Amino acid sequence: MYGLSDEDLQIQASAATFADELIPFEVEAELNNGDLPKEITAAHKARAIELGLFATNMPTELGGGGRSALQQVLVQEQVGRVTNALAWVAATPPSWLPAVATPYQLERFVLPTVRGEREECYAITEEGAGSDVDGIVATAHRDGDEYVLNGEKWHVTSYNSADYAFFQAKLTGGRSAGDHAMFLVDLPSPGVSVLRTPAYTHTISHHHPIVTFTDVRVPATHLVGAEGDGMSFAYEWFRFERMMVAARCLGGAQRLVEEMTAFATERQVQGKPIAQLGAIQAMLADSLTELFAARALVYETARGIGRGAGVKVQHAQCSMAKLYASEMAGRVADRAVQVFGGRGYMRENVAERFFRELRVERIWEGTSEIQRSIIADQMIKRGPRTLA
């Protein structure tokens, strides 16, 4: 099904095995604020590396998996079956960075990250600038051989486990004043501090604090690319992450469809399984149908990337994939809670966890409303047939 090659099926099977090994740890993590003992998390990361599921998006010459876009989707789909972000140990470092990184940046940041020795986080979003990255007010200015960074960043995902951050700012002064630039900032660094760490709906070990950067000095060697390139890197990151969000939503929906089907088959009401009730059948049928449609969309989008589709086409189609897959997964999660009834409202139940966790997929890496705007804009500029 879906025209997968033997190599595709092999990596899909490895990822499925890995996900199945993590699932038994979900409830323990849920009841402990998302945390597992450090040695267990380290073992899970080592297992991901052993199975070839770590850095699948990075070039083989740098030690990465060098997997195709479709194969990366297959991996993230399977790890998406696991709640509580336990599968985030199968990390996907910034695949856009090697092409623009200097030899110094490759040695200091990229290669250790591919080996699993370093971890990044993104300090881009601000209180008044989420999906509209151009709305940021953080600043950077050149001072001799250094840049001085200032700004307050929100939702800095994985800050608590990362040892460097991508910081995006607008330049002040010089020929590039007003343009975007991106910097690599070691963590900790003087002037970088956590303002507060809000509690979020999901229960995971990766925090999303509000972080302030006050007169933070970084060497000019930590500028990524050139002054003015910052937005292009943000767009590269968004395209990739939107595909990975879509893939993980497929996995979450698959798990829910399987779990609620099994429950509906076993659960008896008035002497017969609830799976025989028309209302339940409708929820099961709609969920499976939407999952099938979403998977076909996401896989075809990944194949298009592999065939070298134009960047603007990729931008629109990745938005289509994220939009439909995330909205689909939310509907499936809602139905799953309903099928499970009171059990579906218990934190120990997979439907309850996914109901909370999948909600953010319609928000981060660009809201559903932003995705619709991107899609419509490209439809108008290029015509519907170019995109579908």
Side-chain angles (χ1 to χ4, degrees):
M1 188 180 289
Y2 301 106
L4 300 179
S5 69
D6 288 343
E7 185 179 27
D8 296 337
L9 293 170
Q10 184 177 23
I11 193 168
Q12 182 186 55
S14 294
T17 295
F18 180 61
D20 289 340
E21 292 174 0
L22 297 184
I23 285 172
F25 293 90
E26 291 174 338
V27 174
E28 178 182 351
E30 176 63 34
L31 300 180
N32 288 279
N33 297 316
D35 292 317
L36 292 175
K38 291 183 179 180
E39 62 272 17
I40 291 179
T41 299
H44 289 165
K45 182 176 180 179
R47 179 65 167 152
I49 294 172
E50 175 192 349
L51 291 172
L53 306 175
F54 191 91
T56 57
N57 60 325
M58 300 299 281
T60 54
E61 59 268 26
L62 297 181
R67 295 293 185 170
S68 69
L70 176 60
Q71 289 167 349
Q72 293 170 43
V73 162
L74 294 175
V75 170
Q76 291 301 306
E77 177 181 12
Q78 290 303 313
V79 300
R81 295 192 296 115
V82 186
T83 65
N84 301 92
L86 298 184
W88 285 17
V89 292
T92 51
S95 56
W96 55 268
L97 183 57
V100 297
T102 64
Y104 167 78
Q105 291 169 353
L106 283 171
E107 288 295 327
R108 184 178 176 87
F109 297 99
V110 178
L111 293 175
T113 304
V114 174
R115 293 193 296 264
E117 298 164 2
R118 301 200 71 177
E119 182 181 347
E120 80 285 358
C121 64
Y122 283 81
I124 296 180
T125 300
E126 298 179 5
E127 182 178 13
S131 297
D132 176 20
V133 178
D134 194 43
I136 64 173
V137 297
T139 63
H141 70 268
R142 185 76 180 251
D143 183 18
D145 293 331
E146 296 179 318
Y147 283 89
V148 182
L149 314 179
N150 282 279
E152 181 181 291
K153 296 296 185 176
W154 283 48
H155 315 306
V156 185
T157 300
S158 300
Y159 179 88
N160 61 311
S161 58
D163 64 356
Y164 70 97
F166 289 95
F167 179 88
Q168 187 146 341
K170 287 185 176 178
L171 294 159
T172 59
R175 291 180 298 177
S176 300
D179 290 340
H180 284 251
M182 187 174 284
F183 301 89
L184 293 157
V185 181
D186 285 306
L187 299 175
S189 281
V192 182
S193 61
V194 173
L195 182 63
R196 66 185 180 93
T197 301
Y200 286 76
T201 300
H202 52 215
T203 310
I204 67 176
S205 64
H206 298 257
H207 299 170
H208 318 277
I210 299 170
V211 183
T212 58
F213 293 74
T214 306
D215 293 331
V216 177
R217 290 183 171 270
V218 297
T221 53
H222 287 213
L223 170 68
V224 182
E227 292 187 350
D229 287 347
M231 280 297 283
S232 65
F233 302 145
Y235 287 143
E236 288 268 3
W237 175 59
F238 275 135
R239 279 195 296 276
F240 175 78
E241 285 298 323
R242 285 166 184 167
M243 276 298 292
M244 297 305 103
V245 165
R248 290 191 291 271
C249 285
L250 297 180
Q254 179 71 49
R255 172 96 180 274
L256 288 168
V257 166
E258 292 172 351
E259 295 273 4
M260 66 174 161
T261 300
F263 178 77
T265 302
E266 297 169 0
R267 173 64 168 158
Q268 300 277 325
V269 173
Q270 296 180 342
K272 62 181 181 181
I274 62 172
Q276 294 182 15
L277 301 175
I280 301 298
Q281 290 177 338
M283 288 190 279
L284 297 177
D286 286 349
S287 296
L288 184 61
T289 301
E290 292 185 48
L291 172 59
F292 189 14
R295 182 176 284 132
L297 169 62
V298 175
Y299 283 18
E300 180 56 30
T301 301
R303 286 191 168 101
I305 293 172
R307 291 191 296 265
V311 170
K312 294 295 186 180
V313 172
Q314 288 185 34
H315 202 57
Q317 291 183 337
C318 288
S319 288
M320 292 164 67
K322 179 186 184 293
L323 171 65
Y324 188 74
S326 64
E327 297 276 345
M328 174 276 301
R331 291 190 293 270
V332 172
D334 185 75
R335 294 180 193 123
V337 170
Q338 200 69 16
V339 169
F340 276 104
R343 291 171 176 81
Y345 209 60
M346 299 165 69
R347 289 171 62 193
E348 65 193 52
N349 186 283
V350 65
E352 190 277 341
R353 296 194 300 278
F354 267 129
F355 183 77
R356 285 182 289 114
E357 293 182 15
L358 288 169
R359 185 62 184 85
V360 74
E361 309 294 7
R362 289 179 269 167
I363 298 173
W364 57 17
E365 325 313 353
T367 64
S368 289
E369 291 70 32
I370 288 292
Q371 308 311 322
R372 291 184 174 101
S373 178
I374 292 169
I375 296 162
D377 180 63
Q378 291 300 313
M379 286 175 67
I380 294 165
K381 290 178 178 177
R382 302 175 190 285
R385 291 190 179 185
T386 304
L387 305 178

